[in-house]
Amino acid sequence: IRDRDVTGVQTCALPIFNGTNLDTARNDLIERVEEVLDVDRTRSGLAYSTQLIEVRTDYTRVQPWSEVELLVEVIYTYIRGLA
């Protein structure tokens, strides 16, 4: 049995619909995601850390639509032979 450190990156594309203020809606969504990640950065002790590493905004959509793409990095140890 060997331990391996693994870095996983999850991409989440989230649509936003707000007819009046897309910037505020995007910022509120990003803030909520960070708050949820802050609750447990170790994912119940299964990870070393969890970080929001990048935020991409799609400005090509026509209002009232927008999209935010969030990249979340999780670093954890994988124990070969136990999965």
Side-chain angles (χ1 to χ4, degrees):
I1 298 177
R2 293 189 333 220
D3 292 353
R4 293 183 182 181
D5 289 335
V6 179
T7 300
V9 177
Q10 178 66 48
T11 303
C12 302
L14 305 170
I16 298 171
F17 178 83
N18 186 323
T20 57
N21 195 335
L22 286 173
D23 289 332
T24 299
R26 278 191 296 263
N27 292 339
D28 288 347
L29 178 61
I30 293 164
E31 185 175 333
R32 286 190 195 125
V33 168
E34 287 191 314
E35 288 171 356
V36 169
L37 293 176
D38 282 341
V39 170
D40 183 9
R41 294 276 179 185
T42 66
R43 318 279 37 103
S44 299
L46 300 173
Y48 293 121
S49 72
T50 303
Q51 301 291 326
L52 179 60
I53 58 171
E54 189 174 341
V55 176
R56 299 177 189 157
T57 303
D58 183 356
Y59 291 105
T60 63
R61 299 230 178 205
V62 177
Q63 284 194 6
W65 288 97
S66 184
E67 184 175 283
V68 173
E69 189 174 281
L70 307 174
L71 276 69
V72 177
E73 177 185 72
V74 180
I75 300 172
Y76 63 97
T77 297
Y78 167 76
I79 302 173
R80 187 179 176 138
L82 294 182

